Amino acid sequence: MFNLEILFNLSIIIPALVGIYVFSAIKKEYRYFIIMIITGALHEYNMEFQILPYFVFDAFHTMFYSQLILLLYFKWDTEKNPSAKKILFHALVFIIITIDQYYDYLSIYHIKWGSIACEIGISLYGIRLLNQFQNNLIGEKEGLSRKLIIIPYLIFSVYYAAINILMHFLFNANTQVIFNNLYNVIRWINFLSYISYTLALLWAPKKEQFL
């Protein structure tokens, strides 16, 4: 089982390699997502092999990842937001996650409330984008590619938030086995997400070629 868990965690290398392969040909906004996947792969491999201190890399990954997913979603939003509003949201997310990582480093609490709040907020924004896709004229393949990115992120974020909040209030010696099993579901969610992300990149629209 241990080897299977490692395999699931490190399988993120598949969409990362696909992303590198299509990077130069893919539409610009998808490159944000590819960089997210590559940094995610580096994070997973660092956790398994402890190349760099975990806290340093985790803090960098969390802050960088949240900024890139916001960039991607803003790019897909058909209701074009003012630049000032985008900068405000980027700054707010960055500050919240930075404070969250600082308190996590001090071990003042054992749940990253700020990161969870940001993930849920970004996921709700993703739901809004899904509704927009239904009402706008984008190609079927492109629409599917976007859904294959937004939906897995949404599922992971909601499940991760729910499990961590429940663990914060209910975790004890009697519930440890239950929560261990519930937490292991995250590995399956990640593995299926990596398959979805791979397909999303393969089906993503290519940048326009000019004569």
Side-chain angles (χ1 to χ4, degrees):
M1 183 62 183
F2 178 72
N3 291 332
L4 183 61
E5 291 174 359
I6 293 177
L7 178 64
F8 278 8
N9 291 340
L10 300 186
S11 62
I12 190 174
I13 194 65
I14 299 172
L17 291 175
V18 170
I20 293 171
Y21 177 73
V22 302
F23 190 88
S24 60
I26 209 166
K27 285 185 74 172
K28 184 178 178 180
E29 61 264 29
Y30 282 86
R31 295 177 183 176
Y32 301 137
F33 181 69
I34 293 171
I35 297 170
M36 282 169 47
I37 293 295
I38 293 172
T39 57
L42 294 174
H43 184 249
E44 289 292 344
Y45 277 76
N46 186 65
M47 284 196 297
E48 292 296 339
F49 303 112
Q50 296 296 310
I51 302 167
L52 297 173
Y54 171 77
F55 173 78
V56 174
F57 206 98
D58 182 64
F60 167 78
H61 173 255
T62 304
M63 289 185 284
F64 195 55
Y65 187 96
S66 60
Q67 295 299 310
L68 287 171
I69 193 72
L70 265 180
L71 280 170
L72 179 65
Y73 282 9
F74 279 137
K75 193 70 176 178
W76 282 345
D77 195 343
T78 56
E79 298 178 14
K80 298 304 179 183
N81 297 293
S83 296
K85 185 177 180 180
K86 294 178 183 178
I87 293 171
L88 178 63
F89 272 106
H90 277 290
L92 184 62
V93 169
F94 180 82
I95 291 169
I96 290 173
I97 291 179
T98 301
I99 294 172
D100 202 45
Q101 292 290 336
Y102 174 72
Y103 280 111
D104 181 58
Y105 175 71
L106 297 178
S107 298
I108 292 178
Y109 54 74
H110 301 289
I111 181 171
K112 298 180 180 180
W113 292 107
S115 297
I116 287 174
C118 289
E119 285 184 359
I120 293 299
I122 293 171
S123 296
L124 292 174
Y125 186 25
I127 294 175
R128 175 185 169 187
L129 295 180
L130 289 174
N131 292 330
Q132 287 182 358
F133 298 162
Q134 304 299 324
N135 303 319
N136 288 280
L137 297 176
I138 61 174
E140 182 179 349
K141 207 170 183 179
E142 182 174 356
L144 179 59
S145 175
R146 295 184 182 186
K147 290 174 184 177
L148 288 172
I149 292 173
I150 293 174
I151 294 174
Y153 180 84
L154 170 65
I155 293 172
F156 169 82
S157 297
V158 172
Y159 187 85
Y160 179 82
I163 291 299
N164 278 274
I165 291 171
L166 289 173
M167 285 182 69
H168 181 73
F169 293 107
L170 301 177
F171 185 81
N172 54 52
N174 295 325
T175 61
Q176 183 174 355
V177 174
I178 295 173
F179 277 112
N180 284 343
N181 291 332
L182 290 174
Y183 214 85
N184 283 333
V185 174
I186 291 177
R187 292 188 174 91
W188 283 96
I189 293 174
N190 281 337
F191 178 68
L192 295 174
S193 296
Y194 301 153
I195 296 174
S196 181
Y197 295 156
T198 301
L199 294 174
L201 291 172
L202 290 173
W203 293 338
K206 303 299 185 289
K207 64 181 182 182
E208 295 181 4
Q209 300 292 331
F210 298 99
L211 296 176

